[in-house]
Amino acid sequence: MKLDTRQNTLKGVRTVTELDLPEQSLQSQLLRSRSHLFALPIEPYTEVRARIIIGLDNIKTTVPLEMREAEGDDIIAARCRLGWAVYGRAVKEDATIPRLLHICQCSEARGITATSSPLRSKDDERAMKIMEATTSFREKEKRWQTGLLWKFDRVVLPDSYQMALKRLKCLEAKMSKDPQLKEFMLATMNSHKHKEYIRRLEDSELAPNDITWFLPIFTVTNPNKKKTRLVWDAAARSQGVSLNDCL
């Protein structure tokens, strides 16, 4: 690739100790032998390794702005905001040679090692630690219980009572006008209570704290299946914050 002289800013950059990519070469003979590449400002190179990978979060930097190609030639050149790059295979494979599957007969694996534990992102690692610390089996109810997977060590939620109360009043108004909705809501809530998915809080549990959140509910009906379901709206916002933002 021939770099542009202008500067480009990349966002979301991450570094690794070693980017172990294969070596690549671009021979000057290949450039000189193709009329659609000969006049382009592209310099040859031999056995070099890429040291940076630019992904979709910086797609405007690498999206092709101009192309050079020739009929019947698989080698093309593309210019992006970083400069010109060459793509394709210089040698066509013989289609008559069967190439179905290569089975390695090596006596030992070379350069391939299994990690002692699965690779996880920092968010996944945090979630695993919370689950390991808070998950327990409730013998009496014969079910498992785990804590909320908070994004941060210190979570302070805004007051959501007025938001949830307003949503409740809107739902009650709909129920008063729709007997089927009212019947569905009462049956669903009684079923949840019977299964001990929900319960009425004690007065001592109503004192607000930094992680108190009043969760509004609404219903969604699938017109194709003609089925209604209850939704616990963790995306509802109070003072610009939702419960989903913190999980």
Side-chain angles (χ1 to χ4, degrees), residues 54-219:
I54 302 177
L56 292 177
D57 49 350
N58 291 283
I59 186 63
K60 289 185 178 180
T61 304
T62 58
V63 66
L65 304 175
E66 185 179 355
M67 303 284 291
R68 290 288 190 275
E69 58 183 337
E71 185 70 25
D73 194 341
D74 292 335
I75 301 296
I76 66 171
R79 183 180 65 82
C80 67
R81 288 180 171 82
L82 295 177
W84 284 95
V86 176
Y87 304 91
R89 291 184 179 274
V91 179
K92 294 185 177 180
E93 295 183 354
D94 188 345
T96 63
I97 301 177
R99 301 177 185 275
L100 299 179
L101 180 66
H102 169 70
I103 302 176
C104 182
Q105 302 294 338
C106 301
S107 59
E108 60 180 10
R110 297 181 179 179
I112 302 175
T113 57
T115 57
S116 57
S117 59
L119 298 177
R120 300 190 182 97
S121 66
K122 291 183 179 180
D123 289 341
D124 288 344
E125 287 288 352
R126 176 182 179 81
M128 287 297 299
K129 289 181 180 179
I130 294 176
M131 292 182 66
E132 291 170 355
T134 62
T135 302
S136 61
F137 182 71
R138 303 186 64 169
E139 182 66 32
K140 183 179 179 181
E141 294 88 354
K142 302 297 182 183
R143 65 184 62 176
W144 290 89
Q145 173 180 287
T146 192
L148 293 175
L149 305 181
W150 297 110
K151 284 184 179 180
F152 318 106
D153 292 330
R154 173 70 170 148
V155 176
V156 179
L157 296 173
D159 181 17
S160 59
Y161 178 79
Q162 292 301 324
M163 175 273 294
L165 180 62
K166 183 179 179 180
R167 291 279 299 272
L168 175 61
K169 291 181 178 179
C170 291
L171 179 59
E172 289 177 336
K174 291 182 179 179
M175 291 169 57
S176 65
K177 299 176 182 178
D178 188 342
Q180 290 185 342
L181 175 61
K182 181 178 180 180
E183 181 181 356
F184 169 80
M185 288 297 303
L186 292 176
T188 302
M189 299 304 286
N190 285 331
S191 174
H192 286 353
K193 182 179 179 181
H194 176 73
K195 296 176 181 178
E196 298 184 354
Y197 295 165
I198 61 174
R199 64 179 177 83
R200 184 182 293 275
L201 294 178
E202 302 293 339
D203 291 341
S204 60
E205 297 176 295
L206 294 175
N209 56 49
D210 290 343
I211 56 174
T212 297
W213 187 263
F214 294 90
L215 195 63
I217 58 177
F218 66 94
T219 60

